Amino acid sequence: MGLHLAAIRLAQLSTPPAAPPPGEVVFYAGADGRLYRRPASGAAVVVSPNASAVLPADTVVTEDTRADVPGLGIGVTPGSYQLSGTIWATIDPGMWGTAWVGAPAGTRLTATYDLATTGDFGDGSDFGQLTGTDSSFAFAYPHARTAAVVLSGGIVVTEPGTVRLQAAHSRNALARAFDEEFGNLNEEAGCVYEWVDDIGHTAPGAVRVTPDDSGDDVIAGLSTQGGDIEAGAYQASAWLYSPMGWGQAGITITWWSNFDEELGSESEVTAIAAGTWTEYVINAAAPEGAYRATLRVVMLGAPTGEDVLYFDDVAIDSVGSQLTLAQGSFFCLTRI
């Protein structure tokens, strides 16, 4: 499982290679039309005696919603099949990845996946079940640099169509739209807060922050999960609304280590006009050792209980990161 993408290539050969280079795994199409896998040592084995789909070149996952991966689709007719395949990926800082097995309506899928990753904090692994055609699995995580996922199982097709690999990426380390009631904020000071549904930057809701008349600065904070942040470029943002306006309002992003040590922070604080939703944005670089982040909405200068502030659509996104599926990633269907 501990495969590295630099050691994978796809070859179009009529006969098995005599011997792959040391440490290299070779996939090739034989003269009989079947897909073969030859490991770094040992004899070549048939991957599938029926239909196969192989990614012909490295492919960047460009969609943040579920979409077909070009080149990884197999036309099918009704029947039962054995599903197998392996997906390799490289992961840039702050990037997530999710995959699905897409299929015609009515298809029944019962499969497993085994994931192995290499990364900044060592190797990792995961496994699980896929049932139905809406089941998904995460195959890329922040702090991982390479991933290999092995798929295996059965699939029953009732309508003709295409069985295909689908994928999506996410750069969101934090994304809260407050479209429904939520639990607690991760921190608050100098205020009380509540979810309201009568105002919002995007309908239907937002968080209302009411200063508690203590004379302290107002702080309302949300944190990412541990491990969702790593060194790299990020954009933090939030939309704020002040019915009366205020002289010092904005956001602050703070970086934390795996040991809850503060590594630094940046702020964007300005006067906010009355009665207008205003976006506050910080473009910042998370330092080495960053493991999580806190985005705080702030009001400075001792606001009173009348100086209500609303916030909505809070986000921390990685910038410029990519998720790439490697040439040679494949899956196969064998009629049974």
Side-chain angles (χ1 to χ4, degrees), residues 39-197:
S41 62
V45 296
V46 176
V47 173
S48 173
N50 294 140
S52 59
V54 185
L55 203 60
D58 290 354
T59 300
V60 176
V61 178
T62 59
E63 300 296 328
D64 57 8
T65 56
R66 180 175 177 173
D68 294 351
V69 177
L72 288 184
I74 300 174
V76 292
T77 57
S80 298
Y81 299 83
Q82 180 181 354
L83 168 71
S84 60
T86 304
I87 305 162
W88 290 272
T90 53
I91 305 107
D92 285 351
M95 179 61 68
W96 291 87
T98 306
W100 296 260
V101 177
T107 297
R108 299 194 303 276
L109 171 69
T110 304
T112 62
Y113 67 90
D114 289 279
L115 167 69
T117 62
T118 64
D120 299 338
F121 288 90
D123 297 344
S125 62
D126 191 16
F127 66 92
Q129 300 285 329
L130 295 173
T131 57
T133 54
D134 287 326
S135 293
S136 62
F137 56 93
F139 66 96
Y141 301 90
H143 294 283
R145 289 294 168 262
T146 69
V149 186
V150 176
L151 300 174
S152 179
I155 186 167
V156 179
V157 177
T158 58
E159 298 289 339
T162 303
V163 175
R164 59 212 182 274
L165 183 75
Q166 299 175 311
H169 74 245
S170 174
R171 295 185 174 92
N172 300 127
L174 178 69
R176 298 290 295 273
F178 304 111
D179 291 336
E180 58 186 22
E181 269 193 276
F182 67 101
N184 296 328
L185 297 178
N186 295 110
E187 69 173 308
E188 75 280 346
C191 65
V192 294
Y193 64 89
E194 62 181 325
W195 180 80
V196 294
D197 61 3

Side-chain angles (χ1 to χ4, degrees), residues 174 222 224 229 234-237 251-256 262 264-268 282-286 292-298 315-317:
L174 178 69
L222 292 159
T224 69
I229 294 291
Y234 289 85
Q235 182 178 89
S237 60
I251 60 174
T252 297
I253 187 167
T254 303
W255 312 108
W256 304 89
E262 184 175 334
S265 64
E266 296 189 41
S267 299
E268 176 66 22
I282 298 173
N283 290 297
R292 68 178 180 89
T294 300
L295 191 152
R296 299 182 173 103
V297 174
V298 299
I316 302 175
D317 299 326

Side-chain angles (χ1 to χ4, degrees), residues 308-331:
V308 175
L309 184 72
Y310 298 83
F311 67 88
D312 196 7
D313 295 330
V314 174
I316 302 175
D317 299 326
S318 66
V319 177
S321 296
Q322 288 188 338
L323 173 65
T324 304
L325 303 186
Q327 174 183 351
S329 295
F330 73 95
F331 76 97

